[in-house]
Amino acid sequence: MKQYIKYDPWKIIEEGLLPEYNKVSESIFSLGNGKIGQRGNFEEYYSGNTLHGNYISGIYYPDKTRVGWWKNGYPEYFAKVLNAPDWTGIKIKVDGEKLDLHTCKITEFKRVLNMEKGYFRKRYTAEFPSGKKIKIKSKRFLSIVNDELGVIKYSVEPINFEGEIEVLTDIRADISNQDANYDEKFWIEIEKSTAVRPYVISETKKTNFRVCTAADIKTEFDGKSTPLENLEKIEKEKYAAFKFTLPVKKGKTTTIYKFAAVTSSMYYEKNILAKIAYEILEYAEDKGYEKLLNEQELAWQKKWTKGDIIIEGDIAAQQGIRFNIFQLNQTYTGQDERLNIGPKGFTGEKYGGSTYWDTEAYLLPFYLSTADQKVAKQLLIYRYKHLEKAIENAQKLGFKNGAALYPMVTMNGEECHNEWEITFEEIHRNGAIAYAIKDYIRYTGDKYYLAEYGLEVLIGISRFWAQRVNFSKNKQKYVLLGVTGPNEYENNVNNNWYSNLLVCKTIQYTIESFNFVKENYPEEYNRIIKKTNFTVENETVHWEEIINNMYLPYDEKRKVFLQQDGFSDKELIPASALSHLERPIHQYWSWDRILRSCYIKQADVLQGLYFFEEDYEIDTIRRNFDFYEPMTVHESSLSSCIHSILASKIGDKKLAYEFYLNASRLDLDDYNNDTEDGLHITSMGGTWMTIVKGFAGMRVKNDKLSFEPFIPEQWKFYSFKIGFRGVLLKFEVLKSIVKIENQSNSNIELLIFGNNQILKQNSVTEIALRQKNN
């Protein structure tokens, strides 16, 4: 664990340049606006350890897998969101000496991510080998008002010399991914120019996405506009730049403004990309830097007004949750149904930037409660649009009759994960997608979604489950063999309890949805029957038989659900017995040793109890929590949030808080020694849930929001806002009372500690806070 980030409620602050942590900081200081994003790289020369990263949503490359592609049903490629052309470069030389933050002597270094206003700034003093000293200040943001625009303000002040500096502002398209399977570069050049403003048009191999990256430069000396002296226009392969000189004077500031436009064939015809990019740059020039920055700050203010969580009395917790919310809002805006959320967002290359089941399980609740309903709906429509591909994925594995297996990893609906124990066996992802449909409808009340999109997806998934299970004559039950549950420290197991439960829950919900659409939307029902060739009598009778006879492993002695067959045969040793020198175990143990151990990577049985807690008594949840949590090593970013929510449920406030702090500061403090690869974006939705679903106990029961809040001992109060079916509510939880404000023009009926509470429009009510036993 690293704790070099300074505590601040609204800012992420690093003081003093720490080269050994630079890649970690590059992840932490990342920026995004839903369409483009970048790691917190330096604009200057930097010869130290770095991972340069710029990313464009939806633009990917099918990188041929190294193993398994010759096997039937195995994916032929791993889709990767590409490291895109880099426009951020502002490289300085003084009398031929490079301003390189790795080789110059750097003092007074500070970099700050201002989450409240949506920008990244840094400052430092550099001393060159010649003894010349220079002060640098920079500020950078990616506009959320115009999501194809990036802006940098870069200021130079000499301390002990005068004269000129050489400036190189470039666009580099000769970019590679560090995780390329065959060290291949994925971009080819189409066109470049420096005639008016520098731009490079590049295109991806195979997928043929085309991108124009263009820049405009403005300069000032001592607050007044100044021309680019000795301008040299440079064009090389996949490269365009302006090199020029600027006057500098001791005690005076020379400023460079760099505006960049990134346009792609995702949104425009290929032949007009440069034209559109130039229009964006002209728009930026007309507005000017200060107005663009002001618009950015106001746009972020609007997001925070609705989506902020305020914590009083615990600055580490406050900084943590705001960092998570900030990154979630940077990553996804819901404006394009073709886009989804990669585990690393715009912050790194690991996991390829593709979509996992994390979206449905951990992210959907955040967007349901904090954004317009259409934003969350787009995430579901994304899966609907990929239904045909999911059916093709199942066909490749031998399934028939419209059975759908959604991919573990995807960009376009096609499976592209290249580890067999995940690709073929971690099929519980299908259940998470079905659960998300129910979760969306339960929250929004949008039942027409079933007729419009959802039922078709549910039928495909249920058909898959019906073919994937088999009847065991020995057990006289249906079983699910050869699977991997959420705990990826177990592979190829039989009857993973969570997966088996999802079979039943998905099929049951599909039957309920089928009957609902038949009764309420007969025309849509007939359309779906015809489109899916659904045979009502044959299929539903078989499905009911599976539900009624599904094997769910159970330990009678311990009165707990068994993670899978044979789990109780393991040597059950608590994780507390492990030496800290062996943690995380995936970095120190052989895979053979991990698979034979009892150690659990993340919630597995407990994931099922979280999803379907209404079906289980509190004592059942507590018994299973007390059995499995001690053996859980929490080496997945998705682990702490579920354990925190369940700890809140069973009344263990201390443990719930500890898990919350771990989840919220997972990347800021680099708990698992992997932040340098990028942030854990998808787990950040889980962090939000630990407060709203955990500490505040929010659920939807019988079409009503229900709350059973408590407050961690370390906090004075916390507050958040929730949007629910057109009503905006503000909750404030203090030591002895709960304040609820209806900020809408409609009345709403809530459940507070199980009691009905009608909250009239534009009113505030106070309720005594009940104390949960620890």
Side-chain angles (χ1 to χ4, degrees), residues 503-540:
V503 171
C504 298
K505 294 294 185 181
T506 301
I507 293 176
Q508 182 62 53
Y509 183 56
T510 303
I511 293 172
E512 293 171 2
S513 301
F514 189 84
N515 292 331
F516 173 82
V517 173
K518 180 180 180 181
E519 182 178 346
N520 293 277
Y521 302 103
E523 290 186 7
E524 295 290 354
Y525 169 82
N526 291 329
R527 175 186 63 80
I528 293 168
I529 288 287
K530 183 177 180 180
K531 182 177 180 180
T532 61
N533 294 314
F534 194 82
T535 55
V536 181
E537 294 78 12
N538 292 341
E539 294 193 64
T540 55

Side-chain angles (χ1 to χ4, degrees), residues 20 33 40 64 128 211 226 252 288-289 307 334 344 474 587 716 724:
E20 66 273 24
N33 62 15
K64 185 177 179 181
F128 294 91
V211 171
T226 185
K252 301 292 185 180
Y289 171 81
K344 297 295 181 186
N474 182 47
Q587 294 182 7
K716 294 179 180 178
F724 181 73

